[in-house]
Structure formats: C-alpha cells, structure tokens
Amino acid sequence: MSGGTLTRDVGDTVEPHEPHHDEPVTDVPRHTRVTSLDTVRGVLLVLNILVISTFVPRHEQLVHAEWFGVTVVDTIFPLFVTFSGVGLAFAHRNHVGWRRMFRRSFLLLVIGLAYSAVMTATTDLAELRLTGPLQVYAVLVLVIGALHVVLRSPLAWGIATAFVAAAHTFLLAAWQAGCPGGELAPTCNPSRVVDFAVLGVDHVYAQGLRGHDPEGLVATLGALVTAMVGTTAGHIALSRRGSWRAPAWVLGWAAVVVVMAIAASTYVPAMKRLWTAPFALAVAALAIAVLAVGVALLDLRTVEPWARARGPLTWPLVAIGRNSLLVYFGSHLVLHVLDTNGGEVSWAHALAERVDVIGNAELSYMLFMLLGWVAVTAVLHRFRIYLRP
C-alpha cells in the first residue's frame, strides 16, 4: 500500500500535455488522473459485487456458461482485463521500470496461489491449483510490459493485437478440425493437452475433471488478446489526449475490433471457457466503447454545470475504481467465505436476515455488501491509500 502523500498511480496516470497546434487550449485537462478509467472500473466493480452477492439458485445469466455460449458473469473478468490493459498503456507511457514490473508480477503470482488455496480449501502442495485469475493478470503484466519494448505506436499495437487474435483462432480452429463432429469439447481441446501436460492434472481447474482450465495457458493467450485491445485503446487515447478526437478514435478502434470478432467467429465459437478470440474481442470492444463515452463525459472540458457536478457524482465510483484489485478479488474472497461457512445456514444467509430492512433478504444483502465496499474504499480514497503490488 502507499499512503501519506499522493503518489503517481502507475496504470492510471498520464503526464500533463501541451495541446497540438490544432487543438484548442480549453480542451486540455489540467489534472493528470484519468477519471474516466477509474469511473468505468468503478461501475464494473459495482456490477461485480451485485452479481456475486446473489443467492443460489442464480439466474442462468449469473452463472458461467457450461461450455459454449456467453453469460453476463462470463464478461466481468474480461472487462476488468481490458481496463487493466488500458491502465498498462498509461503506465508504460510513464516508463515503468523492469524491476517494478517483475516485482508486481511476482507478488500477483504469490497472492494468486494464496487466493487459490482459500478458494479451493486446500494447502496441500500436491493438489494446490497453480492457475487462477490473479495468475493470469500476473502473466499479462509481464507480457504487455515486454511488448512495449518493440511496440511504440497505436498502429503497431493494433496490428499486433490482430496477429495474436489470428494466432489463437488458428490454434483452436486447427484443433477443432480434428475433434469428433468438428467442434471443440471438454474431451477434445488444446487446454486439456497443453495445460495438463505443463501444469499437471492435479494443479489445474477442478483437478482436470472439467477437461480444461479457464485460466490456463491456452485461455491466457485469449486473455492477452483482450488486454492488448485495451492497451491499444490506451495508446490511441494518449496520442489524442486533451482533444475531442480522443473518444472518436477510441470508438473507431472499438468498431475495428467488432469486425475482427465477427471474422474470428466464422472459425471458432465465442466462449469464455477457452477465452476464444471472438469472445475476447467482443467483450473488449464493449469495454473500450464504454471507456470512450467516459473520456468524452469525464476527461474533457465541458459546459460549466456538468464540469462542477461530475466530480462529486463520480467520486464514489472513482474511489472503488482506484482500489480495483482489492475490491474485485476481495469481494470474491469475502463472499466465498460467507457462502461456505455457518453450518446448515450459511453466514451469508444469516447476515442477510439481520440486515433485511426492506422485506427482501437477498436484495438487502446485495446492497449491504455494495455499501460496505463503498465505505471501505471511500475511507481509503480519502487518505490516498491504494492496494497495488
């Protein structure tokens, strides 16, 4: 954690900018925070808290798709990854050092293993799951950092994103051609072979019983596509920062990504389980389209009434968004503990009955969890304390 004085927040901060000769001075923001990124992450985390706070049995859109198809809950972590990619673009604009990047990835891996131990209720090293969302994030931090050595422009990032998406699609399509019926299945997919061989069956998702690992090496390649879409959008925004052209260019990139998703879908289906390119691209396109709207509304000079109102209105969301790692993984961890303890009646249900003031225990519980995280992050934001590796 860092506190006391306000420090530069790697991943969310950009340098002050002098306008281009064709940009009006009044369009240049005078702050170095990217309010839109903090805010859209805050909105995503609010959605995440509400979704995972619902009780079983959940609506089909609030549980992960069994194999093919995409549900609402399938999109939450990929949206988070896209915004992280945007943040990494801003971070490397400020020349993040290799030492800091390696330290960040190492800490994410260690914390990810601890997180897996709690979520799977085992500390047995012979059975501990080595993969997970934090581990995916750790790999993405390293790979995106390495790619910044050779990719220096938005165009280069866009081309590289298309190349990685095509490579992932080719891998899955080639594998799919050899499967019974010509389609991927839990019994016929590259994750079953690659992840099981590299990581060991006992160390992957459900100890291999599901036939794949949604956060394994194969899926991480798809996650890289998602992150790279965000990183490209971040560099596009940086190249036009302070100008009303920035959100337009980001929206243009979103449109290109949608076309790429449609093209990839002719070869492999959209699905989260293997993080296929059609899924990776479509979700990322949605994320950066929302970001473009946020940039237009929150980062640029505007009419006076909205200029005065937008800061106070977005403050709670910014507070949540700036502690995104804490809220995303902390909320999952807390709710997992509440759902799996308490005997016949879980702690979650017992707490829901206690906080029910509106005649609906589940809704009261959801709002209680949301307000709890808003309160925690508001205090941390007030004292400028942010959890980040």
Side-chain angles (χ1 to χ4, degrees):
M1 288 189 181
S2 60
T5 59
L6 179 61
T7 58
R8 297 183 63 81
D9 294 309
V10 174
D12 303 322
T13 314
V14 294
E15 300 282 357
H17 167 63
E18 291 299 325
H20 297 297
H21 64 86
D22 60 343
E23 296 174 357
V25 175
T26 54
D27 280 345
V28 180
R30 302 310 301 170
H31 52 75
T32 57
R33 290 296 310 173
V34 184
T35 305
S36 58
L37 181 57
D38 292 327
T39 303
V40 295
R41 282 195 299 206
V43 172
L44 173 62
L45 290 166
V46 168
L47 174 64
N48 169 70
I49 293 168
L50 293 176
V51 165
I52 65 176
S53 299
T54 56
F55 290 153
V56 177
R58 295 185 173 103
H59 186 276
E60 62 181 8
Q61 285 296 315
L62 302 184
V63 295
H64 293 290
E66 283 296 315
W67 187 246
F68 292 126
V70 179
T71 65
V72 170
V73 75
D74 283 334
T75 67
I76 293 178
F77 182 55
L79 288 170
F80 181 82
V81 168
T82 308
F83 294 137
S84 296
V86 177
L88 288 170
F90 297 153
H92 287 280
R93 166 65 175 81
N94 292 324
H95 310 294
V96 175
W98 283 99
R99 178 181 297 179
R100 182 169 187 172
M101 190 169 60
F102 276 113
R103 185 193 68 179
R104 190 178 207 187
S105 295
F106 176 76
L107 287 175
L108 285 167
L109 286 172
V110 172
I111 297 170
L113 290 174
Y115 182 82
S116 294
V118 174
M119 298 297 281
T120 58
T122 181
T123 56
D124 186 351
L125 295 180
E127 298 180 353
L128 181 64
R129 184 185 177 193
L130 299 179
T131 60
L134 273 166
Q135 292 90 317
V136 170
Y137 190 53
V139 172
L140 296 179
V141 168
L142 273 181
V143 174
I144 294 293
L147 288 174
H148 271 95
V149 175
V150 294
L151 303 177
R152 302 300 182 95
S153 69
L155 178 60
W157 273 99
I159 293 172
T161 301
F163 176 81
V164 176
H168 194 224
T169 300
F170 176 81
L171 167 66
L172 294 178
W175 203 286
Q176 178 176 256
C179 291
E183 67 177 25
L184 297 164
T187 56
C188 184
N189 67 84
S191 176
R192 183 182 183 89
V193 175
V194 175
D195 292 321
F196 289 16
V198 174
L199 302 171
V201 176
D202 291 333
H203 298 294
V204 299
Y205 176 63
Q207 293 187 303
L209 296 178
R210 298 295 298 274
H212 71 291
D213 193 322
E215 284 102 26
L217 299 174
V218 174
T220 298
L221 184 58
L224 177 61
V225 173
T226 299
M228 290 178 69
V229 171
T231 303
T232 304
H235 283 294
I236 290 172
L238 284 171
S239 69
R240 298 286 176 177
R241 63 192 184 278
S243 167
W244 280 98
R245 297 176 184 177
W249 277 83
V250 173
L251 278 176
W253 171 234
V256 171
V257 173
V258 168
V259 172
M260 292 165 57
I262 294 172
S265 68
T266 63
Y267 298 96
V268 295
M271 57 187 296
K272 167 63 173 65
R273 290 293 176 175
L274 296 177
W275 211 314
T276 61
F279 169 77
L281 293 165
V283 174
L286 172 62
I288 60 175
V290 171
L291 178 66
V293 174
V295 170
L297 292 176
L298 302 175
D299 293 333
L300 303 177
R301 291 293 179 87
T302 185
V303 294
E304 190 58 29
W306 175 241
R308 290 197 304 268
R310 62 185 178 181
L313 287 175
T314 59
W315 195 91
L317 293 172
V318 170
I320 296 174
R322 290 189 66 181
N323 259 309
S324 57
L325 275 175
L326 171 65
V327 177
Y328 183 85
F329 293 101
S331 61
H332 280 268
L333 186 60
V334 168
L335 288 167
H336 175 76
V337 172
L338 292 175
D339 284 339
T340 55
N341 289 276
E344 293 184 5
V345 179
S346 70
W347 290 347
H349 284 81
L351 177 60
E353 294 297 331
R354 287 181 175 273
V355 301
D356 184 14
V357 294
I358 59 176
N360 186 315
E362 181 178 23
L363 181 57
S364 297
Y365 178 70
M366 293 166 63
L367 294 175
F368 178 79
M369 285 297 165
L370 175 59
L371 293 175
W373 282 107
V374 169
V376 168
T377 54
V379 171
L380 294 176
H381 187 39
R382 172 64 180 81
F383 291 99
R384 298 176 177 177
I385 301 173
Y386 307 107
L387 181 63
R388 55 176 56 86

